[in-house]
Amino acid sequence: MASPRLISCVLALATLTVGACSSTAPTPEGGSSTVSGVAGGTGGDAGSASAAPSASALTPEAYKAELDGRHKPMADAIGSLAGARGVKALDQRVSKAEETLSGAAESLAALVPPADVRPQHDAYVTSLQDFVTALGATSGKVGARALCTSSAVLADLGAKLKALDEAGEALQKAGDYPADVVDVKAARKQTRRLGNGSFVRNGSFGGRSSLEIDNGAGRDAVVTVMRGKSKAFSVYVRRKAKFKVKGVRDGSYKIYFTHGVDWDGRNKAFTRECSFERFQKSVTFKTTVTATQIRWHDWRVTLHAITGGNARTAPVDPESFPG
């Protein structure tokens, strides 16, 4: 009986392509003016109107109590941003922080502080208002997935966060007032990348088949291949690059992919411009052995739209994406 032969080949048809291979020799492979007066008055000088009394300044103790009552909710709202995991949680926490700090800014702006700390109080309130405005803009960016992680949000808020921190410290030093609400530090904006073909999650290989990934998009990608509920492997493919995963074992697989900018290796996520998709069709790798041949399937996927593509993709909820 003739010895079986192995050979690998690919039919590059479109977005999802399979090739069946065979041979005969073994080789593994986001006004009007108004005037007012008093009817029935006894007269008087027309120009002698009484000025409204101004509000009295708070005592240091009363002012401190006002700040203290708002300190923890403000600090917690800011701190929670750093602990957000996932796009949905991040969106919720940015909105909650905006709501909490906006209410605090409105209440503090209505206070009359002790005269000796009026400049520091005014600077603190202004910085807080500026930070709230920045949070509103950041919330839109999270909703549009221009910002995808807590580190990206903090980096985006960095200048306003630093100004609020400095204003709070100045007010605190002026009279031991509890205005130190910023306990997080913003890292600088980064653009980290892995090498093309780097495995984010390595798998168990040893099969005869291969999966070629063509990322012609303008952002890097991470492709995660699932077999049932288990992750077979995840691999990083740079923009405008290709990579072939060899040794894929037989089985039916679902292919997910995320595009983005700045790969956070610790949290295994892109921090900016992220998207999440999957191929609607599963791919099956199958090896058939006969007396004279060994046949197997190789697949090729493209992560960008191409003319003649034969496999559709669908968006995936970030919370359901296999990270």
Side-chain angles (χ1 to χ4, degrees):
M1 180 180 68
S3 298
R5 213 181 103 158
L6 312 177
I7 191 169
S8 137
C9 66
V10 177
L11 299 181
L13 298 178
T15 303
L16 198 55
T17 311
V18 60
C21 310
S22 66
S23 184
T24 58
T27 35
E29 246 315 32
S32 60
S33 298
T34 61
V35 62
S36 62
V38 180
T42 59
D45 295 337
S48 59
S50 299
S54 59
S56 299
L58 294 170
T59 63
E61 292 74 18
Y63 181 57
K64 184 177 291 187
E66 291 283 355
L67 289 171
D68 192 51
R70 295 171 178 83
H71 181 273
K72 189 176 188 303
M74 292 170 65
D76 286 351
I78 295 172
S80 69
L81 296 177
R85 295 291 179 268
V87 178
K88 184 177 181 180
L90 185 63
D91 196 11
Q92 292 172 340
R93 294 189 188 191
V94 171
S95 295
K96 180 62 177 178
E98 183 183 7
E99 179 185 352
T100 299
L101 298 178
S102 179
E106 184 177 354
S107 297
L108 293 174
L111 299 180
V112 181
D116 61 335
V117 295
R118 184 63 189 252
Q120 291 88 346
H121 169 84
D122 289 348
Y124 181 59
V125 170
T126 297
S127 294
L128 183 55
Q129 292 169 333
D130 288 347
F131 186 65
V132 169
T133 299
L135 274 171
T138 296
S139 179
K141 294 175 186 178
V142 173
R145 293 182 188 160
L147 301 176
C148 310
T149 65
S150 58
S151 62
V153 164
L154 292 177
D156 190 62
L157 293 168
K160 300 301 182 184
L161 191 65
K162 182 179 179 181
L164 178 59
D165 190 24
E166 292 174 348
E169 288 181 356
L171 180 55
Q172 186 172 16
K173 290 177 181 178
D176 195 27
Y177 295 112
D180 55 330
V181 295
V182 179
D183 291 326
V184 300
K185 298 296 182 183
R188 62 182 176 83
K189 185 176 179 179
Q190 302 180 76
T191 304
R192 296 162 290 183
R193 306 172 75 190
L194 295 181
N196 189 56
S198 296
F199 281 95
V200 175
R201 178 186 180 89
N202 217 329
S204 175
F205 301 107
R208 301 180 186 275
S209 302
S210 67
L211 175 66
E212 183 177 358
I213 304 163
D214 182 355
N215 181 21
R219 294 167 294 161
D220 290 358
V222 169
V223 177
T224 297
V225 178
M226 302 288 293
R227 184 175 184 182
K229 295 182 179 181
S230 301
K231 298 173 191 173
F233 58 87
S234 295
V235 63
Y236 194 101
V237 184
R238 288 194 170 197
R239 61 187 179 90
K240 309 299 182 183
K242 299 178 183 179
F243 183 73
K244 181 182 285 188
V245 180
K246 299 178 180 179
V248 181
R249 294 179 181 274
D250 287 2
S252 180
Y253 297 82
K254 291 182 179 180
I255 302 176
Y256 295 76
F257 58 99
T258 174
H259 279 108
V261 174
D262 183 40
W263 179 254
D264 181 345
R266 179 178 179 183
N267 293 303
K268 292 183 171 56
F270 287 109
T271 72
R272 302 191 305 277
E273 300 178 38
C274 60
S275 62
F276 306 86
E277 298 177 73
R278 67 175 175 84
F279 283 98
Q280 294 180 340
K281 179 181 178 181
S282 296
V283 298
T284 300
F285 294 94
K286 182 179 180 181
T287 302
T288 303
V289 180
T290 68
T292 59
Q293 294 181 325
I294 297 178
R295 297 172 58 89
W296 66 93
H297 294 82
D298 289 329
W299 288 89
R300 176 174 178 262
V301 296
T302 59
L303 308 184
H304 56 283
I306 62 171
T307 301
N310 63 355
R312 295 181 179 275
T313 62
V316 177
D317 186 327
E319 303 303 307
S320 301
F321 191 84

